[in-house]
Amino acid sequence: MSDSPRPGPDGGPGFPAARPTPLATMLAVVAAGGVVGALARAGTLAAFPYRPTAFPWSTFAVNVVGCLLIGVLMVLLTRVWTDRPLLRPFLGVGVLGGFTTFSTYVLDVQQALRAGVPGTALAYLGATVLAALGAVWLGDAATGWLLDRTRAGGSAR
Amino acid sequence: MSDSPRPGPDGGPGFPAARPTPLATMLAVVAAGGVVGALARAGTLAAFPYRPTAFPWSTFAVNVVGCLLIGVLMVLLTRVWTDRPLLRPFLGVGVLGGFTTFSTYVLDVQQALRAGVPGTALAYLGATVLAALGAVWLGDAATGWLLDRTRAGGSAR
């Protein structure tokens, strides 16, 4: 989350070179993000529970929103927050990796099949993948467009 | 999720009835599980990194193994660990929910498409879903079969 891993502009050969983030810091940051993501997911699913025969809207929403946010995040990490080495492990690996879930998604499909609603199972199976792919694309495109627009506005001044 | 909300066999009318798990305990257990799951996933992906043009084997493995384990877990929770109210929030919601990821899966697909390998993107997209569904079914069926076999062996003695 700082410039520390890179030598400063005046960092000559006498200075220590790039100092990578210590492993312990990286693990702590991933763990902290994992707590945030898991609690946010558990809270959402507890607030909007669903029966095995129903479309699992809350897990659908968790996964699609998580994919929208990872699309936004990747653009920001590449174009804006290029000197924040802890943001990707915290927000990307920890928070969004912990927020979204594949195990609950697949369990939902299995339980819908077992509950005798194969149409719901298939609709949920396909809709989640399609909506999540659309969401990551939208997050990426919209963030890129906004950044371009902001910078064009800035340079026109 | 458990028998705990029901009074014990000797719990007469004079005893306090169902005592649900306190919310703070539940949140702490989900958070602790989220730490374990996120670190296990981050460790796996760090140990087996992949390029955007390659098949993302480590994320594939994380999601498929997580789905195998959720299949095993759900049978154990339903048939064996019926009086352990914290195991599902810890292992299911926390550990496996935090271990598996939908955001990295979808990001991998997007990056493979962007890297110009649509065949890899589509193969990974489909193979993950199919293998994960097969894994949850296998975990469920194998655990059920083993439990039946163990119990049949026990009652034959």
Side-chain angles (χ1 to χ4, degrees):
Chain A
M1 214 175 289
S2 74
D3 287 339
S4 67
R6 299 187 308 186
D10 56 348
F15 286 80
R19 199 160 44 104
T21 307
L23 180 63
T25 307
M26 199 68 95
L27 294 180
V29 159
V30 167
V35 167
V36 174
L39 287 179
R41 173 169 41 80
T44 305
L45 303 194
F48 303 99
Y50 45 87
R51 295 176 181 282
T53 51
F55 191 94
W57 280 112
S58 42
T59 300
F60 176 86
V62 157
N63 281 330
V64 173
V65 169
C67 288
L68 179 75
L69 294 178
I70 199 92
V72 172
L73 179 67
M74 295 310 288
V75 175
L76 291 176
L77 289 176
T78 315
R79 293 184 51 184
V80 181
W81 298 329
T82 50
D83 56 349
R84 308 273 178 98
L86 293 180
L87 274 185
R88 183 171 178 164
F90 177 65
L91 291 176
V93 182
V95 176
L96 294 178
F99 182 60
T100 61
T101 172
F102 214 92
S103 52
T104 307
Y105 164 65
V106 164
L107 197 64
D108 288 338
V109 173
Q110 189 213 29
Q111 293 191 338
L113 287 173
R114 186 165 287 175
V117 286
T120 302
L122 280 176
Y124 172 64
L125 185 75
T128 299
V129 167
L130 289 179
L133 281 168
V136 76
W137 176 84
L138 179 67
D140 178 297
T143 309
W145 181 81
L146 279 172
L147 285 178
D148 289 342
R149 198 158 165 260
T150 308
R151 286 179 181 180
S155 59
R157 252 179 244 141
Chain B
M1 194 183 310
S2 77
D3 288 335
S4 71
R6 298 187 303 187
D10 56 348
F15 286 80
R19 198 162 48 105
T21 307
L23 180 63
T25 307
M26 199 67 96
L27 294 179
V29 160
V30 168
V35 167
V36 174
L39 287 178
R41 172 169 41 82
T44 305
L45 302 194
F48 304 99
Y50 47 87
R51 296 176 180 282
T53 51
F55 191 94
W57 280 112
S58 42
T59 301
F60 176 85
V62 157
N63 281 329
V64 174
V65 168
C67 289
L68 178 76
L69 294 178
I70 199 92
V72 172
L73 179 67
M74 294 310 289
V75 175
L76 292 176
L77 289 176
T78 315
R79 293 184 49 183
V80 182
W81 298 329
T82 50
D83 57 349
R84 308 272 179 98
L86 294 180
L87 275 184
R88 183 172 178 167
F90 177 66
L91 291 176
V93 182
V95 176
L96 295 178
F99 182 59
T100 62
T101 172
F102 214 93
S103 53
T104 307
Y105 164 65
V106 165
L107 197 64
D108 288 338
V109 173
Q110 188 213 30
Q111 294 191 338
L113 287 173
R114 187 166 287 176
V117 286
T120 302
L122 281 176
Y124 171 64
L125 186 75
T128 299
V129 167
L130 290 178
L133 281 168
V136 78
W137 175 85
L138 179 67
D140 179 296
T143 309
W145 181 81
L146 279 172
L147 284 179
D148 289 342
R149 198 157 165 260
T150 308
R151 286 179 180 179
S155 58
R157 251 180 246 140

